[in-house]
Amino acid sequence: MTRRIEVLYDGECGLCRRSARILQRLDILRQLDWVDFRRTSVDVDTSRLEHEMAARSGGRTYFGFSAYRVLSWRVPVFW
């Protein structure tokens, strides 16, 4: 069984919320768990999360472009 990816985003950022909504719709296999880092305690540098999305997979945290690359392996439309 493949582990789901936890996606950390800024729920107070309009662009971030819009990006999350679009990606949620594209996630037809339901592989992504969406976490608004402002509403939950996370053990990641929150100042960095204010500027870029992050993805957690396999015990690692990826930021920015690297996070989108991790997501693209799980969302079929990006294949």
Side-chain angles (χ1 to χ4, degrees), residues 22-72:
I22 291 168
L23 289 169
Q24 283 173 330
R25 289 184 193 125
L26 296 175
D27 181 23
I28 59 173
L29 299 178
R30 301 295 175 238
Q31 294 294 304
L32 311 177
D33 289 324
W34 296 88
V35 177
D36 176 355
F37 83 89
R38 301 223 185 241
R39 299 192 192 288
T40 232
S41 175
V42 293
D43 59 349
V44 178
D45 180 7
T46 55
S47 64
R48 193 164 181 190
L49 288 172
E50 291 175 349
H51 301 284
E52 55 191 344
M53 189 178 284
R56 291 184 188 180
S57 176
R60 295 189 58 196
T61 303
Y62 303 87
F63 290 91
F65 178 75
S66 295
Y68 280 101
R69 282 185 52 187
V70 169
L71 299 179
S72 71

